[in-house]
Amino acid sequence: MTFVAEAPGTDISGTGGLFELVGNAAWDAKLAPCTDADIARLRASADTVDRYLADGRPIYGLTQGFGPLVLFPAKSEMEQGSSLISHLGTSQGAPLSPETSRLVLWLRLNSMRSGFSAVSPELWQTLADAWNRGFTPVIPREGTVSASGDLQPLACAALAFAGVGEAWVKDAHGQWQRRPAKEALDELGLAPFEWPVREALAFVNGTGVGLAVSLLNQQSALRLVRAVAVLTGRLATLLRANPEHYHLGIQEARGQVGQRIAAGWIRDELPADQERGDDRPLQEPYSLRCGPQVLGAALDQLTSAGEVLLREARGCTDNPIAFEGEVLHGGNFHAMPVGLASEQIGLAMHTVAYLAERQLGLLVNPTTNGDLPIMLTPRAGRGCGLAGVQISATSFISRIRQLVQPASLTSLPTNGWNQDHVPMALNSANGVSDALELGWLAVGSLAVGVAQLAAMVGAEAPRDGLWDRLAEVSPALDADRPMAQEVRTAARLLSEHAAQLLAEPTAP
């Protein structure tokens, strides 16, 4: 339930290019053929490698083995390519979503096209044509340390192009189904791909899997911030909280960009004539008063992470590379930039989800909700109101904290003496992805609480607006009922609304 925005957004935080990038990898998107400039770069890169081979100079993976086997010679380009993707075909676990797999391939193909990887234009076009026709490998999400790239998941993708493993196909109803990769290729009229070692090495030696998941996580986390800002403004309105907390002057005095933006988002939800209610304190609890500070800090961290991810998406992350007539051996495949950015995203989204849970706690407590019934039940004693919703939200936050623990702290050496420092970037991204699903449930829980609060105080909402739709999703409680579906539907409603808002230009 990590909802994906349908519409590309504008740049609200310095990372607008990410919205466009993700949109470029959509199901119906197409990779343009190589331009003359692309082909010139690709051929120059391949010519550099050919010259090194003709001179008898060593090149990792072509004249030498892989990893610690670099000490041993290798001779057959086709045998080496097959060996590479075969021995790495050890990825396990649940698959990435089809949309994520599409993005993974888009990232790798665009990196290979940049002209550093010695990939032939003809073989690149063969892969791009398959992607354009919808071929989408099933990529298991577990089993890489993200050090020499996301080797195992990308090898599983490469094997699918070779007719081994599974691929995603859409059935007659537009639903994704898993099918043997060979069958999916046959249906598209495509022959299984044979992987020369140059293309195989360029394909699997990249950070694209952890990068793709982290890109989608960053987008989801931005929507989470926007959604909680909307709910914060609505909650402040219904409780008649002191609007000074969100005053532009407070934000200008501090000078933090994210805080200023978040406060503006909250003010957008407040009536122009909002005044502090007679029964409200001068200073609300921090979960209301410090909404701009918390959401703004998260927004700044997400912006920073997004900038790192965007640079990674535009760069070349395999090894070796050809650069200005030289073959250079290095470590661009080490996914530490992605790993640390992913951890930033996880920590930021946790603090936003936690804010939502604390706001839910505020509105079910008579001490802070204006002496309304505890748990917002109209049948205190006979009914329990939002008690179950709050308990589940507490569990969600606890689990989020487990999932967003920095994976880089769990680094372990592997691959003999070779990979002695690894970033665990995909492990991090997978954990953050799972945490975001729970974060959205925390948002849905707060949204249900806000709907019940609005019903209890008799607040009116404009027809066909967000709050009117939310009231339909979670009508006033007259007796206890199961509310799990209401929470899920409210979460989706807020995600879609946040996506729409983020697609609008932001006032300076």
Side-chain angles (χ1 to χ4, degrees), residues 144-152 154 204-208 317 333-335:
T144 180
V145 297
S146 302
S148 188
D150 293 312
L151 291 170
Q152 285 76 9
L154 286 170
V204 304
N205 255 186
T207 63
T317 60
F333 48 48
H334 194 289

Side-chain angles (χ1 to χ4, degrees), residues 58-78:
I59 300 178
Y60 174 75
L62 275 71
T63 68
Q64 310 300 124
F66 303 113
L69 300 172
V70 70
L71 302 176
F72 298 86
K75 295 181 179 179
S76 170
E77 187 162 339
M78 294 309 298

Side-chain angles (χ1 to χ4, degrees), residues 281-304:
L282 180 65
Q283 297 193 150
E284 292 287 347
Y286 288 7
S287 60
L288 265 188
R289 191 195 334 165
C290 300
Q293 289 76 13
V294 173
L295 297 174
L299 185 59
D300 284 336
Q301 293 301 308
L302 294 174
T303 298
S304 174

Side-chain angles (χ1 to χ4, degrees), residues 89-432:
T90 56
S91 226
Q92 304 283 356
L96 302 174
S97 70
E99 293 80 10
T100 306
S101 294
R102 297 283 294 169
L103 179 56
V104 168
L105 297 176
W106 188 92
L107 290 166
R108 293 311 304 135
L109 287 168
N110 276 281
S111 176
M112 292 163 70
R113 177 158 55 178
S114 63
F116 298 105
S117 305
V119 172
S120 77
E122 295 78 13
L123 288 177
W124 184 92
Q125 193 62 57
T126 299
L127 293 172
D129 288 344
W131 188 89
N132 283 341
R133 297 184 65 178
F135 185 72
T136 306
V138 171
I139 305 177
R141 75 201 294 244
E142 308 289 351
T144 180
V145 297
S146 302
S148 188
D150 293 312
L151 291 170
Q152 285 76 9
L154 286 170
C156 286
L159 286 165
F161 277 98
V164 178
E166 294 184 308
W168 295 104
V169 297
K170 280 191 173 182
D171 63 20
H173 304 290
Q175 301 299 309
W176 289 104
Q177 303 289 336
R178 294 166 65 168
R179 297 274 295 282
K182 181 64 166 61
E183 290 184 13
L185 289 167
D186 288 344
E187 289 181 6
L188 293 171
L190 299 171
F193 187 76
E194 295 184 5
W195 285 96
V197 70
R198 300 189 200 190
E199 282 74 13
L201 194 57
F203 188 84
V204 304
N205 255 186
T207 63
V209 184
L211 176 60
V213 178
S214 295
L215 287 168
L216 294 174
N217 287 345
Q218 194 262 4
Q219 308 268 291
S220 181
L222 279 176
R223 293 195 303 277
L224 195 78
V225 172
R226 191 68 182 90
V228 175
V230 167
L231 289 168
T232 300
R234 180 62 168 170
L235 183 56
T237 298
L238 295 173
L239 293 177
R240 299 177 64 203
N242 190 347
E244 290 178 13
H245 304 335
Y246 316 114
H247 194 286
L248 178 62
I250 298 287
Q251 327 317 322
E252 291 293 331
R254 192 174 203 179
Q256 292 288 1
V257 174
Q259 179 178 326
R260 177 178 56 80
I261 293 173
W265 288 344
I266 295 171
R267 286 196 306 273
D268 288 344
E269 304 300 325
L270 298 177
D273 58 352
Q274 170 98 347
E275 294 184 0
R276 176 170 65 92
D278 294 338
D279 59 343
R280 299 308 300 177
L282 180 65
Q283 297 193 150
E284 292 287 347
Y286 288 7
S287 60
L288 265 188
R289 191 195 334 165
C290 300
Q293 289 76 13
V294 173
L295 297 174
L299 185 59
D300 284 336
Q301 293 301 308
L302 294 174
T303 298
S304 174
E307 291 168 348
V308 171
L309 296 176
L310 186 57
R311 288 195 295 271
E312 188 81 351
R314 290 171 172 168
C316 176
T317 60
D318 52 274
N319 172 65
I321 66 167
F323 181 79
E324 296 184 354
E326 294 184 273
V327 174
L328 302 175
H329 294 83
N332 279 355
F333 48 48
H334 194 289
M336 202 74 253
V338 177
L340 292 180
S342 174
E343 291 170 7
Q344 268 186 288
I345 294 167
L347 296 175
M349 66 77 48
H350 158 262
T351 204
V352 175
Y354 178 45
L355 182 72
E357 186 275 338
R358 286 294 75 218
Q359 290 181 354
L360 176 61
L362 180 149
L363 68 84
V364 298
N365 188 336
T367 303
T368 49
N369 71 12
D371 288 325
L372 294 172
I374 191 167
M375 299 300 162
L376 296 187
T377 175
R379 297 156 47 88
R382 292 181 298 159
C384 298
L386 297 177
V389 170
Q390 187 192 19
I391 291 170
S392 289
T394 303
S395 172
F396 302 151
I397 301 305
S398 175
R399 181 62 179 141
I400 288 170
R401 290 176 177 178
Q402 298 167 33
L403 290 166
V404 301
Q405 289 292 318
S408 62
L409 297 180
T410 69
S411 180
L412 292 167
T414 189
N415 195 226
W417 51 262
N418 185 42
Q419 296 186 28
D420 59 346
H421 184 292
V422 301
M424 302 295 186
L426 182 56
N427 282 2
S428 171
N430 286 337
V432 174

Side-chain angles (χ1 to χ4, degrees), residues 482-507:
M483 304 187 81
Q485 182 60 54
E486 293 175 33
V487 168
R488 293 193 296 272
T489 305
R492 185 172 295 279
L493 181 65
L494 265 295
S495 178
E496 293 171 352
H497 184 69
Q500 293 170 1
L501 293 175
L502 288 171
E504 299 172 356
T506 300

